[in-house]
Amino acid sequence: MTGGLRVIVTGGAGFIGSNLISWLLRHPAIGRITVVDDLSTGSTSLLGGDLADVDFRRGSVLDEGLLDAAMAGADAVVHLAALPSVPRSVADPVTTHHVNATGTLQVLEATRRADGPLVVAASSSSVYGAQPVLPKVETSRAMPLSPYAVSKLATEAYLGAYHACYGLPVLPLTFFNVYGPRQRAGHPYAAVVPVWIDAALSGQPVTVHGDGTQTRDLTCVDTVCEVITTAITGRVVSQWPVNLALGTRTSLLDLAGLLGEILGTGLRVEHGPPRPGDVAHSQAAPARLLELFPGTRAVPLREGLERTVAWHRQTRSDTRSYTDAGGSR
Ligand SMILES: NC(=O)c1ccc[n+]([C@@H]2O[C@H](COP(=O)([O-])OP(=O)(O)OC[C@H]3O[C@@H](n4cnc5c(N)ncnc54)[C@H](O)[C@@H]3O)[C@@H](O)[C@H]2O)c1
């Protein structure tokens, strides 16, 4: 690839990052893409054939030398690398802080040493925590309930501060519950949508923590990728965080019902105790998003979940045919 914008994606081998790479590779304004990822939660397998079209650098965002080398000549940095889990942060708050908060600081420092590319970074709706106002407005006070949420508050606050102090062009985006193809189950910190689909396809019951009336603003990964791609190509800047969700509200019980319909088998729901650090209700006020990105399109939940279920079915059948072909391994 020659010409076009030079983009760095940290965490590009993760769920959102690998989807974003596919979007960016299809966009005519994008030139070279460099991925920085230490593969701690991601996998190059998620990039599939796209791996050959990116400059993949395995390593941590805590490695200054690696960041400096990757950033030379960059027009934009999309900073997605993080340990993205509330329970993981409750179990090990210090590591979450290092990767998520210090990692963001290192990325910003490297950007400052480079020629000030646009920095788009992922924050999380968990920053709102115990804030009772619904829908969540960016101007309401953050009330984090977990070390993960604190690390994400640091992420968005550092971006704002680097804009104020050094004039860096920044865009902190507050993701809500993002779901879609390439979001994997099968690890202890997996998100609810892949865990439930995987359990149902294996004939297992799904666990609802608490009574299931808690609500989430489920956002299809395509919406997230579309907004970030527009941000890069249109060089959209905001000192203050922007919610990246469209203000929908789905209870966990309704999600279970819809997934059961799509799978055609229903979902067997079991209730477990509520998890520490989890928030009761999460719904974005999308006004700031729609002001900056007027064309943002919500993917209907059923459509997004159907594509997600299809990806899980395909992945399971690919794995089965590989195992069948290769015998016992
Ligand atoms: N998925 C969601 O619903 C959601 C919601 C809110 C915020 N976010 C944020 O979006 C971003 C992407 O999340 P995701 O769901 O794709 O998670 P993911 O775990 O699939 O991706 C994170 C990627 O970062 C990489 N990584 C972790 N530590 C690293 C380090 N020190 N150096 C370099 N790479 C490192 C991982 O290997 C992985 O590829 C994260 O910042 C997360 O906090 C996600």
Side-chain angles (χ1 to χ4, degrees), residues 60-82:
S60 174
V61 289
L62 295 167
D63 180 341
E64 286 179 35
L66 177 77
L67 285 179
D68 283 344
M71 285 244 189
D75 296 293
V77 180
V78 183
H79 176 44
L80 301 173

Side-chain angles (χ1 to χ4, degrees), residues 217-278:
D217 199 339
L218 292 161
T219 315
C220 183
V221 69
D222 287 352
T223 305
V224 173
C225 294
E226 188 175 5
V227 166
I228 295 176
T229 305
T230 305
I232 296 169
T233 53
R235 208 167 166 86
V236 179
V237 171
S238 169
Q239 177 172 2
W240 309 115
V242 180
N243 288 337
L244 206 178
L246 286 139
T248 62
R249 206 172 160 194
T250 307
S251 76
L252 293 185
L253 291 179
D254 286 346
L255 174 65
L258 187 52
L259 276 175
E261 275 175 43
I262 292 168
L263 287 155
T265 54
L267 242 57
R268 265 189 301 139
V269 172
E270 287 179 353
H271 288 268
R275 292 188 308 185
D278 271 355

Side-chain angles (χ1 to χ4, degrees), residues 10-18 36-43 46 57-63 66 79-85 98-100 103 121-126 148 151-152 155 173-179 182-184 187 191 219:
T10 75
F15 155 53
I16 297 172
S18 61
V36 174
D37 198 304
D38 69 355
L39 301 182
S40 54
T41 64
S43 166
L46 291 179
R57 302 190 184 200
R58 183 173 184 174
S60 174
V61 289
L62 295 167
D63 180 341
L66 177 77
H79 176 44
L80 301 173
L83 293 175
S85 159
H98 283 321
V99 174
N100 297 8
S123 181
S124 154
S125 58
S126 62
Y148 170 71
S151 75
K152 287 291 160 179
T155 295
L173 294 173
T174 306
F175 299 172
F176 282 60
N177 286 73
V178 188
Y179 72 93
R182 305 193 214 182
Q183 189 176 31
R184 296 182 297 174
H187 61 94
T219 315

Side-chain angles (χ1 to χ4, degrees), residues 86-87 90 124-134 136 142-150 175-177 209-217 249-252 274-284:
V86 168
V90 175
S124 154
S125 58
S126 62
V127 301
Y128 293 113
Q131 171 57 255
V133 169
L134 262 187
K136 308 295 182 194
M143 300 172 73
L145 287 169
S146 67
Y148 170 71
V150 174
F175 299 172
F176 282 60
N177 286 73
H209 294 280
D211 65 6
T213 56
Q214 56 275 53
T215 54
R216 299 289 179 256
D217 199 339
R249 206 172 160 194
T250 307
S251 76
L252 293 185
R275 292 188 308 185
D278 271 355
V279 301
H281 300 291
S282 184
Q283 179 193 22

